[in-house]
Amino acid sequence: MKHAFRTWFLSVTTLAAILALAAATYAWFTSNRAVETSTATARTGEETLTLQLSSSGGGAFRDMPTAAITQVNRTSATRLMPVSTSDLVNFVYAPSTVADQAVHFEKVENEAYYYHGRIYLRASGEGFSGSQVMNLYLDQSEGLLGKNVDGRLLNAARLGLVFDGDTANPIILRLSESSNPSNMRRNNTVVNGVALTGSQVLRYRNGSVSAVSDPSVPIADYAMDTASSGVPSKTLLAMQIGKIYSLDIYFYLEGCDPDCTDSVSYNTADLHLSFYGMLAGEGSR
């Protein structure tokens, strides 16, 4: 009984961080640019484990219930416009269209047209060995995406996550597996005379673009659902206890998505993210 009690409290450390974003194509982009955390602390004997959030890293890290997302775009991200990327490093956009087809592309400069913000996370614990880590997941137990999950905007949107500056291993998530009505969808991206399919995006290399497979995956791949007994197939991050990690957040419209048409102009949608932490090796919840 004692071991089961310990397992429950150490694995059900629900680390809720809420990111609220609202956006509209060809309209003003607004965000409360804050992450709120409702921290559940696991305790057994002298062991504790919590998730801490901060707007600043390093020696300026300060745990706070509401952490503002520090925007790091080098230009104002007041307009959310269609872009495309395969790596969250190089984004391209179509400055104009020909017969309603996007055929010419340029590299996005100064991170214009999409949102890029940053927060810092730390798994704080006492009574653990230096080798123990906390696996970080998304939490969908209370409605991962909040309201308007099927909104037209989210059907075309992407959420990109980069932990600790590791741009070689970005996580790109589809926020909705729904599609807009067929009359509001269109494949209108053309490269070298060939129209891209709905499962392709643009990759920028050495001044040119090419079509590659869409690297995005369903957000459910990383999401814990406390109503079930399973663990997500993928882990966002294995966090060393006590180490501060940066989390870069990218929110953008994937211009090659068939749902990214004028039908999403001036649409808004609410996006909510929650995190779920579990000590590595803890198999039950």
Side-chain angles (χ1 to χ4, degrees), residues 70-85:
T70 304
Q71 184 175 331
V72 296
N73 295 67
R74 284 169 287 181
T75 58
S76 175
T78 53
R79 289 179 66 87
L80 193 66
M81 302 290 285
V83 296
S84 188
T85 183

Side-chain angles (χ1 to χ4, degrees), residues 62-73:
R62 297 291 183 273
D63 182 31
M64 54 189 68
T66 300
I69 303 173
T70 304
Q71 184 175 331
V72 296
N73 295 67

Side-chain angles (χ1 to χ4, degrees), residues 22-25 27-28 151-154 262-269:
T25 52
W28 292 107
R152 296 174 185 171
L153 180 67
L154 290 188
D262 286 344
S263 65
V264 299
S265 297
Y266 303 102
N267 271 234
T268 62

Side-chain angles (χ1 to χ4, degrees), residues 18-21 31-36 66-69 115 119:
I18 301 173
L19 167 65
L21 294 174
S31 168
N32 68 357
R33 300 179 186 177
V35 173
E36 298 177 359
T66 300
I69 303 173
Y115 181 80
I119 59 172

Side-chain angles (χ1 to χ4, degrees), residues 34-45:
V35 173
E36 298 177 359
T37 178
S38 175
T39 305
T41 303
R43 296 180 182 275
T44 175

Side-chain angles (χ1 to χ4, degrees), residues 10 13 40-42 47-51 123-126 128 134 241 279:
L10 287 182
T13 304
T41 303
E47 295 178 345
T48 65
L49 180 64
T50 61
L51 176 70
S124 178
E126 296 179 1
F128 299 97
M134 186 192 76
I241 295 175
L279 279 180

Side-chain angles (χ1 to χ4, degrees), residues 25-236:
T25 52
Y26 310 113
W28 292 107
F29 170 70
T30 61
S31 168
N32 68 357
R33 300 179 186 177
V35 173
E36 298 177 359
T37 178
S38 175
T39 305
T41 303
R43 296 180 182 275
T44 175
E46 296 182 356
E47 295 178 345
T48 65
L49 180 64
T50 61
L51 176 70
Q52 298 177 336
L53 298 174
S54 175
S55 297
S56 304
F61 187 98
R62 297 291 183 273
D63 182 31
M64 54 189 68
T66 300
I69 303 173
T70 304
Q71 184 175 331
V72 296
N73 295 67
R74 284 169 287 181
T75 58
S76 175
T78 53
R79 289 179 66 87
L80 193 66
M81 302 290 285
V83 296
S84 188
T85 183
S86 62
D87 55 17
L88 299 180
V89 175
N90 298 297
F91 289 77
V92 298
Y93 74 105
S96 61
T97 58
V98 178
D100 293 330
Q101 301 288 309
V103 297
H104 303 297
F105 307 96
E106 295 181 8
K107 184 179 180 181
V108 175
E109 300 292 345
N110 299 320
E111 297 193 317
Y113 307 143
Y114 60 90
Y115 181 80
H116 177 194
R118 182 178 298 147
I119 59 172
Y120 297 84
L121 306 89
R122 177 171 63 190
S124 178
E126 296 179 1
F128 299 97
S129 67
S131 62
Q132 286 183 288
V133 299
M134 186 192 76
N135 289 332
L136 187 68
Y137 307 96
L138 291 168
D139 179 16
Q140 67 175 8
S141 58
E142 295 184 5
L144 177 66
L145 292 173
K147 299 179 180 179
N148 301 328
V149 62
D150 294 321
R152 296 174 185 171
L153 180 67
L154 290 188
N155 291 340
R158 298 288 189 272
L159 177 71
L161 305 176
V162 172
F163 288 92
D164 227 24
D166 186 9
T167 56
N169 294 288
I171 299 173
I172 302 178
L173 304 171
R174 295 193 297 273
L175 301 176
S176 170
E177 294 305 295
S178 300
S179 298
N180 294 335
S182 58
N183 63 338
M184 297 180 179
R185 308 182 80 235
R186 186 177 180 187
N187 293 319
N188 60 353
T189 303
V190 179
V191 176
N192 297 324
V194 179
L196 272 64
T197 68
S199 60
Q200 294 177 300
V201 299
L202 296 179
R203 179 176 64 183
Y204 180 87
R205 292 282 176 86
N206 300 320
S208 63
V209 299
S210 59
V212 297
S213 297
D214 186 351
S216 68
V217 298
I219 200 167
D221 286 0
Y222 292 89
M224 181 74 74
D225 186 351
T226 55
S228 66
S229 58
V231 176
S233 60
K234 300 179 181 179
T235 302
L236 288 174

